[in-house]
Amino acid sequence: PQRWRAEVRNLASHGLRSRSPFTFSPGGGVIAPNGTCAVTLSFTPDAPGAPYGNDRMFSGTIAVVAAGGGGPGAETTRELRARCWADGSFVRGGDDDAGISSPLPPSVDAVGLRTGLRDPRPRAPYESVELTLPGPIRPGDTASASLHVGSVKNADGGGSNAEYAFESFAADDAAKGWSVDEPSGSVAAGDGKKVTFTFAYPSTPRPVDPCYFGIPETVRADVTCVL
């Protein structure tokens, strides 16, 4: 027989109480020779975290430790990462989800989406998501990348549709070649919708663009998403 236990280490939690949002059932026991044991891992936070940015996620390390019969035993670890949104709708899939972590300001009442790195115009504090398109590209080429708008389904299977709307690009950004395929829509509870942003550099650069003179440039744009 093999005795084992599971534990969470290095916990980073945004909950209201000190309890871990990650729980196991069972949390340990004895496995018969040639036997197996199914363990259910649950994520049950008591408060939402700041949802955007990897450094704001609920996280920890699960360690499954098997007794070694007098020796050090065997240990298997896996990283745990989870998000909890205060509202039923959310945006995911930006650079932070690709493993690039950066601190972000707290959300107040608007969700801002940035498709570049330019400093945003002064406005109320908002959450920001950075989305970097693949490149470099040449005049006449295009580059695209996508975000996903989602709607949370309750544990009991309920929920409501999430409505979203991306505001229009500024006139100068649109003239440079920025576009979005589905700027507004509805997402059913438990589902997600892919929204693709495309940058199509004009085949003939404008005289005001550095590329007109053969100089490489980084093109950025801001767009706001209202959920």
Side-chain angles (χ1 to χ4, degrees), residues 52 87 89-91 109-111 149-150 162-166 225-227:
Y52 299 102
D87 301 315
S89 55
F90 60 91
V91 174
D109 46 24
V111 177
V149 179
E163 306 291 333
Y164 74 92
F166 291 93
C225 176
V226 179
L227 298 174

Side-chain angles (χ1 to χ4, degrees), residues 164-185:
Y164 74 92
F166 291 93
E167 297 181 357
S168 299
F169 284 99
D172 185 63
D173 292 332
K176 284 185 176 180
W178 287 100
S179 63
V180 56
D181 63 345
E182 293 194 55
S184 63

Side-chain angles (χ1 to χ4, degrees), residues 78-107:
R78 293 291 186 273
E79 295 300 314
L80 303 172
R81 303 184 73 85
R83 287 191 172 108
C84 177
W85 282 272
D87 301 315
S89 55
F90 60 91
V91 174
R92 66 176 176 84
D95 293 348
D96 284 311
D97 287 335
I100 303 174
S101 179
S102 60
L104 301 173
S107 176

Side-chain angles (χ1 to χ4, degrees), residues 11 29 41 48 64 69 79 84 93 101 104 118 136 142-143 163 177 196 204 209:
L11 178 66
L41 171 63
V64 178
E79 295 300 314
C84 177
S101 179
L104 301 173
R118 184 171 59 198
T142 63
E163 306 291 333
T196 300
T204 303
D209 296 328

